Amino acid sequence: MKTSLLNRDIYACSALLFGYSAVVALMSLDLNPRQWGVLDAELYHLPQINWFMEWGIQLNYPAWSATGPGFHWLMAAFAQLTGAEALDRSSWQCLYGPAFLTATALLFFYAALRSSGASPLRTLAFGFPLISSTYFWTPALYPVTECLSMLGLFAMAYALAASPRQPLTFGIAAAASTIARQSFLSTAGAFALMTVSEQWPRIFTWRVVGPAILTLGPSLVVATALILQWGGLTPPEWKEMHAGFSPGPVLHGLALLGIFGWLFLRREDFADDVSTLARNIAVIVAFSLALWFALPEDGGTRPHSVVWKVAASLPAFYGRPLLTLPLLTMGVIIVFAYWRRGWRDGYRLSPELSLFACYFAAQAAQKFSFQRYAEIPVLLLLCLGMARLKNKHPRHDAFMIMAFAGYFALTIWRMTGSG
């Protein structure tokens, strides 16, 4: 089902989404000052924005932030156009600029769900899990780079859902994400990955090479310029902290997928005969065990994730927290179910899985495994996959909404400092 810009419901939902983001921006002064968005904005992003306001938009600059300069350029230009001399957290540009970018991201998210086949009502229902996340709200409230990179990510999701064989829109969205956060470079490969899987084994044809150029070209231009300037994928000031490969972000993404994903499963995802089901279970268990043993002996624990904190406090086996094994197993089950759905819909690799795989491949090129780097892509994957389901299960959807209503309440409780 395609989404037309002339559909009446998109205007109503657009007004609701923009209004929602404006109200959230007004609430930001009452939020817990210990939230990561406050600290990141004041320590890294506001100084970077103010430097560009003073010295102009350029590639050669002292890096307060480890991310790409795209968001800082955009905010600096916006502030200067509106007559500001410098920004702080209470500046109206910092309140409403990120909120506007997040609202625009929501429009792409809504359009992606509609293009995947969901009705307007089901689209809002599927969207609720994502907007109930603290990691969605915070970039809407504070000047941090996630609001622009999230916009690009949602625009890529829309391009894959609406026109999975038209790459130019996807390439432009990928470039916007890459210039905001250079780790998004490999997400540009999602379109190419899906295209190659569709054309395999005849991959060296214009039907593959042409889309690959349009998809990867914009992001590669951006990344090449940054690498030449920095001498690597991160600014020189941040290389020691960020450089290096770690399986932690990939495993973290699968663990989060396991936590949320069981709510998005359907009975038909496992409609096989007994022998096929037994074989699939054996493969899933073996693969999950292999992933679990790939964890570092300290369990890959980081102090920046609820998942990793809880896992580190529970019993371990050979230095690996036992909690991560069932979570990884459930994550692999979700991936398998979504791959099956894509196959039934005519794709060798489903669009949302290709985006998910490339995103977490990019995240593995760093040492950090913050939960906020994983939660939004995980929920985006799950919501898109639900929207593509042809069979409706209102009771299941209602249960999902109730479950995430509790999560939403917990989010507000934590963000307002009550917890």
Side-chain angles (χ1 to χ4, degrees):
M1 177 178 179
K2 303 297 182 184
T3 300
S4 169
L5 291 178
L6 298 178
N7 284 350
R8 287 177 297 175
D9 63 84
I10 199 169
Y11 295 111
C13 289
S14 299
L16 287 173
L17 294 175
F18 272 100
Y20 166 83
S21 297
V23 171
V24 169
L26 285 173
M27 292 171 55
S28 64
L29 294 177
D30 296 326
L31 293 183
N32 186 344
R34 295 170 294 174
Q35 285 291 314
W36 67 263
V38 179
L39 298 176
D40 279 11
E42 293 183 346
L43 294 177
Y44 310 120
H45 301 296
L46 282 172
Q48 193 75 79
I49 293 168
N50 288 328
W51 190 93
F52 285 128
M53 290 178 65
E54 181 177 358
W55 298 100
I57 294 172
Q58 52 186 282
L59 268 176
N60 186 19
Y61 62 92
W64 275 274
S65 169
T67 63
F71 172 74
H72 310 115
W73 290 348
L74 184 63
M75 286 295 294
F78 176 55
Q80 288 180 325
L81 286 173
T82 53
E85 295 182 0
L87 297 182
D88 57 35
R89 190 166 63 86
S90 61
S91 302
W92 71 266
Q93 292 90 342
C94 290
L95 289 176
Y96 291 101
F100 178 84
L101 291 174
T102 306
T104 306
L106 272 177
L107 291 181
F108 280 113
F109 176 58
Y110 171 81
L113 292 178
R114 290 285 285 128
S115 297
S116 293
S119 67
L121 182 59
R122 293 194 89 208
T123 295
L124 293 176
F126 294 153
F128 184 72
L130 189 141
I131 64 172
S132 68
S133 168
T134 182
Y135 303 107
F136 171 81
W137 276 56
T138 309
L141 302 174
Y142 304 114
V144 293
T145 56
E146 277 86 349
C147 57
L148 180 57
S149 58
M150 187 165 61
L151 189 156
L153 181 66
F154 290 6
M156 284 188 274
Y158 168 69
L160 280 176
S163 303
R165 293 171 178 84
Q166 299 295 324
L168 185 57
T169 303
F170 187 94
I172 294 171
S177 277
T178 301
I179 202 168
R181 298 186 73 89
Q182 64 274 24
S183 58
F184 275 76
L185 171 63
S186 75
T187 55
F191 194 100
L193 179 63
M194 195 180 73
T195 303
V196 167
S197 70
E198 294 299 301
Q199 300 296 326
W200 185 266
R202 298 183 301 131
I203 60 173
F204 296 107
T205 65
W206 178 248
R207 295 182 66 183
V208 176
V209 175
I213 293 173
L214 293 175
T215 301
L216 298 172
S219 291
L220 287 176
V221 170
V222 169
T224 300
L226 294 177
I227 290 170
L228 290 175
Q229 180 61 41
W230 293 337
L233 280 172
T234 55
E237 296 90 335
W238 295 89
K239 283 184 179 177
E240 184 176 351
M241 180 178 290
H242 284 270
F245 173 82
S246 170
V250 178
L251 300 173
H252 192 179
L254 283 170
L256 278 176
L257 196 61
I259 290 174
F260 295 121
W262 66 274
L263 287 163
F264 295 80
L265 288 175
R266 289 289 191 263
R267 184 179 300 173
E268 56 265 30
D269 289 328
F270 306 99
D272 291 313
D273 57 74
V274 175
S275 61
T276 302
L277 186 62
R279 183 177 68 248
N280 291 337
I281 290 174
V283 171
I284 287 170
V285 170
F287 188 63
S288 302
L289 281 170
L291 287 175
W292 189 63
F293 279 110
L295 281 170
E297 288 197 6
D298 64 354
T301 55
R302 296 290 305 174
H304 312 292
S305 166
V306 175
V307 177
W308 262 213
K309 278 184 179 179
V310 174
S313 66
L314 294 177
F317 180 75
Y318 283 101
R320 293 164 177 82
L322 288 173
L323 176 65
T324 53
L325 179 56
L327 294 183
L328 285 172
T329 303
M330 180 57 72
V332 174
I333 290 172
I334 304 301
V335 169
F336 174 76
Y338 274 55
W339 174 78
R340 289 278 299 273
R341 292 182 191 177
W343 188 270
R344 287 196 296 266
D345 290 343
Y347 301 104
R348 292 186 184 177
L349 179 64
S350 64
E352 60 268 11
L353 274 184
S354 65
L355 193 63
F356 179 83
C358 288
Y359 177 83
F360 283 98
Q363 294 304 308
Q366 61 175 338
K367 297 177 182 178
F368 290 106
S369 186
F370 292 96
Q371 186 166 341
R372 67 178 182 266
Y373 293 166
E375 188 165 303
I376 294 301
V378 163
L379 289 170
L380 177 64
L381 159 76
L382 293 170
C383 294
L384 284 174
M386 282 290 286
R388 286 177 51 222
L389 277 179
K390 302 299 186 293
N391 297 328
K392 298 182 180 181
H393 297 263
R395 284 181 297 178
H396 187 287
D397 295 345
F399 175 73
M400 184 178 72
I401 292 299
M402 287 189 290
F404 275 95
Y407 184 61
F408 181 75
L410 178 62
T411 294
I412 300 300
W413 183 58
R414 291 177 58 194
M415 292 181 70
T416 55
S418 302

